[in-house]
Amino acid sequence: MARHAGHSLSEYQALRAMMESGTATAAARRLGLTQSAVSRAVASLEARTGRILFEREAGRLRPTAEAIRLNRRLDSLFEALDRIDAPPTAVRETLRLIAPPSLAHRFLVSLVTGFLKANPHFFVSLEVNTSDEVIRGLVEDRFDLGIIRVEMSRAGLRMIPYRVSSVVCAMASDHPLSSLETISPSDLDGHRMIALTHRHARRAQLDKILLEAGAHPEIVAEVSTTFAAMDLAKEGLGVSVVNPFPAVHYRGSEMTFRPFDVPMIYRSYFAVSDQRPLPRIARAFIRHVRLNTPTDPFSEKA
């Protein structure tokens, strides 16, 4: 027989229905066609492939070995068609989130928990790292969203304002300065203080303010993170001058925070790439964070 090029889905469907139903009549019923239409489709497939696919035996059509082999090769085609026709499955969107310890621990973790409870079809991958790594990870497209408490300018990034907070003095609840409503630089003179290391830009700013006020606190320790400074202050080692957001939300009952009467303002940002569209899940998380950030006396919406 002549061999013709091309494929015909209707011919393959007729073959498969015949193989599974056993007769042309049953195959026609299954496909919603006439018996003659099924017979013509099978005959066309035989002519096109040059193979005898069915032999009549005792009044019934029996598939040949060629038909069995061809039907088996069609399995992947019909499995693909079944997947196309199947109801769409929900895509589990993932948010690749990165933040420094000062935001991630306790504060951001609680917001992620609320977000996933409200959106069980979402998934969050949270990385805790330094602010420098937050920026690097976003630039390298390893993360969708970062949250930081430092003001940075970097090509390829967009900084979305989140919170503005004023500087405070943090100390143990029984510290002598805790009786003051507001603390001035001169009040720190002679008191023990936990300072941030000089790699922090705020350290140089604070040193200048104290020098101009003639205040000479006793620096008893230098630390690299706000977390460490507050922990040491909480243990009674001295006073720390820090950004209260967001620690005041979970440390407010464990230690005392007092406004520090100096012009030091901190800003927190959502950091995103300006080279790629912001994923839907990232936009949803930003909205969730804005709506669910509790109020406090030292910070406000940016």
Side-chain angles (χ1 to χ4, degrees):
M1 293 183 178
R3 186 182 183 90
H4 302 282
H7 295 279
S8 170
L9 180 59
S10 60
E11 292 174 0
Y12 295 147
Q13 288 173 325
L15 168 67
R16 201 163 187 85
M18 285 278 289
M19 296 286 292
E20 294 177 355
S21 302
T23 67
T25 302
R29 225 175 7 249
R30 178 171 178 167
L31 295 175
L33 301 173
T34 63
Q35 179 179 342
S36 60
V38 171
S39 298
R40 285 196 302 271
V42 171
S44 176
L45 180 59
E46 288 181 324
R48 185 168 59 80
T49 60
R51 299 166 183 167
I52 297 175
L53 301 176
F54 290 93
E55 293 177 338
R56 185 168 296 279
E57 184 179 278
R60 294 180 62 85
L61 292 175
R62 182 175 63 83
T64 64
E66 291 282 1
I68 293 172
R69 280 194 293 270
L70 178 56
N71 186 53
R72 188 178 300 121
R73 291 168 61 187
L74 291 173
D75 285 347
S76 58
L77 169 63
F78 284 97
E79 286 170 4
L81 292 173
D82 288 341
R83 287 194 296 271
I84 293 171
D85 292 338
T89 55
V91 177
R92 196 180 194 196
E93 293 182 62
T94 296
L95 173 64
R96 301 174 300 166
L97 177 65
I98 183 169
S102 54
L103 284 163
H105 294 154
R106 297 181 68 170
F107 178 73
L108 195 53
V109 163
S110 67
L111 289 170
V112 169
T113 300
F115 179 67
L116 291 178
K117 285 182 177 179
N119 302 277
H121 55 292
F122 286 157
F123 182 85
V124 172
S125 171
L126 172 61
E127 166 109 358
V128 182
N129 217 315
T130 65
S131 295
D132 288 341
E133 282 300 317
V134 171
I135 299 302
R136 186 176 294 109
L138 289 166
V139 169
E140 295 174 355
D141 194 26
R142 291 184 283 113
F143 300 97
D144 305 306
L145 175 65
I147 307 180
I148 57 175
R149 301 193 310 164
V150 294
E151 298 181 50
M152 289 188 176
S153 178
R154 178 74 178 266
L157 286 184
R158 179 162 59 99
M159 309 299 282
I160 304 172
Y162 169 34
R163 302 292 291 187
V164 177
S165 52
S166 51
V167 66
V168 301
C169 291
M171 66 204 82
S173 298
D174 59 354
H175 193 280
L177 293 178
S178 66
S179 61
L180 300 178
E181 290 299 318
T182 301
I183 297 174
S184 66
S186 59
D187 292 326
L188 295 180
D189 187 52
H191 283 280
R192 291 154 62 90
M193 190 170 81
I194 303 104
L196 294 175
T197 58
H198 285 88
R199 74 176 179 84
H200 291 267
R202 297 294 187 174
R203 172 64 186 276
Q205 186 179 3
L206 177 60
D207 286 348
K208 181 179 178 182
I209 289 171
L210 294 174
L211 181 63
E212 291 175 348
H216 301 283
E218 179 189 356
I219 307 296
V220 295
E222 289 184 342
V223 293
S224 61
T225 68
T226 299
F227 261 3
M230 287 190 299
D231 284 345
L232 292 176
K234 176 176 172 290
E235 294 301 317
L237 189 62
V239 178
S240 61
V241 177
V242 295
N243 179 356
F245 179 79
V248 67
H249 293 292
Y250 53 85
R251 286 286 173 80
S253 61
E254 302 173 349
M255 58 192 304
T256 296
F257 294 88
R258 290 289 182 262
F260 191 37
D261 189 19
V262 298
M264 289 177 64
I265 299 297
Y266 299 90
R267 301 182 187 277
S268 300
Y269 298 88
F270 298 105
V272 300
S273 169
D274 67 359
Q275 306 297 308
R276 300 175 297 278
L278 189 62
R280 179 177 75 107
I281 188 173
R283 295 196 303 271
F285 186 72
I286 290 174
R287 287 195 300 271
H288 176 83
V289 171
R290 289 193 187 281
L291 290 172
N292 292 280
T293 298
T295 59
D296 68 75
F298 306 112
S299 74
E300 59 185 19
K301 295 178 181 179

